[in-house]
């Protein structure tokens, strides 16, 4: 079937074109709202600027298909193959992309607001500037989580997205908007979050070992039991952060702001806290063995029962701080 026949039959009211061989078909700008293309082979097709609102594309094959500017609002894209597809500027708002294959897809500036991406494979995809506000990528079962390993999410808008348990190891999240995002239990090992905004985000039980968070905003972020070993948090803002029982061994926190942060029982051993601001912070029972606190500001900090005997406190200020023995430093 060629493009003219499909368009003519659709114009007459026919919408079921499931299971057809339409490889390489040219449907540029076609109006195909609510069409049924379930299990259809559309590999390398041209669907640029096509209207596919509420289209049925369950298990369809759109590998290497051109979908720039296409409208796929509320489309059924479950188990679809979109690997190597070009979705630059496509509208996928409210689309169902559960178990979709989006490996190496180009989603530059795409609209994925409120999309369901559970178990989708976005490994190696380009998500630069993508809008994922309210999107659902959460892990419901261990085998049911979106794969975003090494994905490019530079300047992406993920505000309020549910990404609990998602694999973002090695992902590029520089300058991304992650305000109020749920990343509980997510794997962010080696991810680059430089200058990302993580204010009010949930990262409890997440793995951020060796992650880069230079100048990132983590104010009021929930970081309970987080792994941040050997991470780079230079000049990061962690004011009012809550991170009890976390591991930050050999982490670089030089010039970071931890004002009023709650870091009870945190392992800071061998971490670099050079010139860090720890005013009014809570470090109760913290482990600061061989920690570098040179020129740090610990005014009014609570260090009750903290281990600081081998820490480097050269030039640090401790005015009004509660010392490990419970005394108040004058």
């Amino acid at each position: 079937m060629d493009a003219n026949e499909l368009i003519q039959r659709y114009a007459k009211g026919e919408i079921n074109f499931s299971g057809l061989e339409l490889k390489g078909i040219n449907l540029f700008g076609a109006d195909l709202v609510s069409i049924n293309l379930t299990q259809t082979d559309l590999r390398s097709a041209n669907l640029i600027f096509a209207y596919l609102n509420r289209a049925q594309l369950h298990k369809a094959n759109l590998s290497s298909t051109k979908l720039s500017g296409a409208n796929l609002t509320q489309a059924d894209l479950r188990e679809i193959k979109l690997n190597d597809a070009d979705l630059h500027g496509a509208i996928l708002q409210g689309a169902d992309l559960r178990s979709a294959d989006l490996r190496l897809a180009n989603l530059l500036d795409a609209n994925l607001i409120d999309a369901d991406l559970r178990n989708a494979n976005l490994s190696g995809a380009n998500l630069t500037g993508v809008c994922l506000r309210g999107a659902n990528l959460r892990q419901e079962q261990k085998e049911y989580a979106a794969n975003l390993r090494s994905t490019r999410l530079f300047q992406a808008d993920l505000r309020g997205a549910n990404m609990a348990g998602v694999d973002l190891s090695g992902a590029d999240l520089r300058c991304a908007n992650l305000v109020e995002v749920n990343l509980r239990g997510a794997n962010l090992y080696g991810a680059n979050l430089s200058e990302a905004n993580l204010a009010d985000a949930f990262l409890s039980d997440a793995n951020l070992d060796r992650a880069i968070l230079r100048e990132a905003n983590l104010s009021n972020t929930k970081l309970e039991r987080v792994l941040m070993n050997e991470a780079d948090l230079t000049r990061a803002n962690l004011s009012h952060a809550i991170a009890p029982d976390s591991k930050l061994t050999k982490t670089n926190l030089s010039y970071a702001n931890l004002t009023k942060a709650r870091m009870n029982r945190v392992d800071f051993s061998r971490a670099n806290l050079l010139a860090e601001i720890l005013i009014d912070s809570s470090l109760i029972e913290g482990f600061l063995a061989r920690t570098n606190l040179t020129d740090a500001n610990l005014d009014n900090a609570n260090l009750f029962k903290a281990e600081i005997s081998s820490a480097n406190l050269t030039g640090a200020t401790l005015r009004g701080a509660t010392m490990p023995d419970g005394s108040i430093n004058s």
Side-chain angles (χ1 to χ4, degrees):
M1 182 185 296
D2 62 19
N4 288 333
E5 182 183 350
L6 185 149
I7 291 169
Q8 288 172 9
R9 287 167 61 176
Y10 176 83
K12 291 177 182 178
E14 186 177 345
I15 63 168
N16 187 3
F17 298 90
S18 60
L20 296 180
E21 169 64 56
L22 299 172
K23 184 178 178 181
I25 195 169
N26 185 357
L27 292 164
F28 180 95
D31 183 349
L32 301 168
V33 173
S34 299
I35 194 171
N36 184 354
L37 293 163
T38 301
Q39 295 185 315
T40 298
D41 186 353
L42 286 151
R43 284 176 291 168
S44 302
N46 183 352
L47 290 161
I48 295 172
F49 295 122
Y51 294 90
L52 292 158
N53 316 57
R54 293 197 176 181
Q56 302 295 312
L57 284 152
H58 182 210
K59 291 186 176 180
N61 189 347
L62 279 80
S63 299
S64 302
T65 296
K66 297 176 183 177
L67 287 148
S68 297
N71 192 325
L72 290 141
T73 301
Q74 297 181 5
D76 181 358
L77 306 172
R78 290 171 297 149
E79 300 179 75
I80 193 172
K81 291 183 179 178
L82 283 162
N83 49 297
D84 292 301
D86 186 358
L87 290 138
H88 179 188
I91 303 170
L92 296 116
Q93 188 164 346
D96 189 346
L97 284 146
R98 284 176 291 169
S99 300
D101 183 356
L102 287 148
R103 288 172 299 161
L104 302 175
N106 180 16
L107 286 147
L108 176 68
D109 296 325
N111 179 352
L112 283 152
I113 294 172
D114 296 324
D116 192 341
L117 286 148
R118 286 173 292 169
N119 203 40
N121 190 344
L122 288 143
S123 180
N126 181 6
L127 287 138
T128 300
V130 74
C131 186
L132 280 155
R133 288 197 180 199
N136 187 357
L137 298 101
R138 74 174 182 271
Q139 179 185 41
E140 294 187 329
Q141 302 169 9
K142 286 188 176 179
E143 67 278 9
Y144 197 50
N147 177 2
L148 282 87
R149 285 194 297 270
S150 303
T151 301
R152 182 174 168 82
L153 284 152
F154 176 67
Q155 292 184 332
D157 187 351
L158 293 134
R159 183 173 186 136
N162 190 343
M163 305 176 78
V166 172
D167 187 352
L168 284 154
S169 52
D172 181 358
L173 285 150
R174 288 172 299 149
C175 305
N177 181 0
L178 294 156
V179 174
E180 297 177 348
V181 72
N182 181 3
L183 284 160
R184 188 182 299 273
N187 181 8
L188 288 146
Y189 180 92
N192 191 341
L193 294 122
S194 297
E195 299 182 56
N197 189 354
L198 290 137
D200 298 298
F202 294 86
L203 286 110
S204 302
D205 301 301
N207 182 357
L208 286 149
D209 284 348
R210 298 192 175 182
I212 303 169
L213 292 127
R214 297 175 68 91
E215 299 185 52
N217 181 10
L218 291 128
S219 59
N220 205 40
T221 300
K222 309 299 184 294
L223 296 157
E224 295 95 342
R225 301 171 300 279
V226 162
L227 298 177
M228 278 188 167
N229 301 302
E230 299 183 60
D232 185 355
L233 287 122
T234 304
R235 299 187 187 278
N237 179 11
L238 288 106
S239 60
H240 296 88
I242 302 172
D245 303 300
S246 294
K247 306 291 185 185
L248 286 89
T249 63
K250 298 183 180 179
T251 298
N252 186 0
L253 286 146
S254 54
Y255 302 98
N257 181 5
L258 273 80
T259 302
K260 295 187 177 180
R262 284 181 269 172
M263 313 289 284
N264 298 337
R265 299 176 301 281
V266 170
D267 185 351
F268 283 110
S269 56
R270 295 185 173 85
N272 182 10
L273 278 69
L274 172 69
E276 179 145 344
I277 302 171
L278 289 149
I279 300 170
D280 293 316
S281 61
S282 180
L283 298 160
I284 296 171
E285 297 183 39
F287 187 58
L288 292 98
R290 303 294 302 279
T291 302
N292 181 16
L293 286 155
T294 303
D295 296 326
N297 187 339
L298 289 142
D299 291 352
N300 298 314
N302 191 342
L303 291 154
F304 183 60
K305 291 188 177 180
E307 169 52 53
I308 61 170
S309 61
S310 58
N312 183 353
L313 289 156
T314 304
T317 62
L318 291 145
R319 288 184 293 270
T322 302
M323 303 307 288
D325 61 2
S327 63
I328 305 299
N329 187 54
S330 58

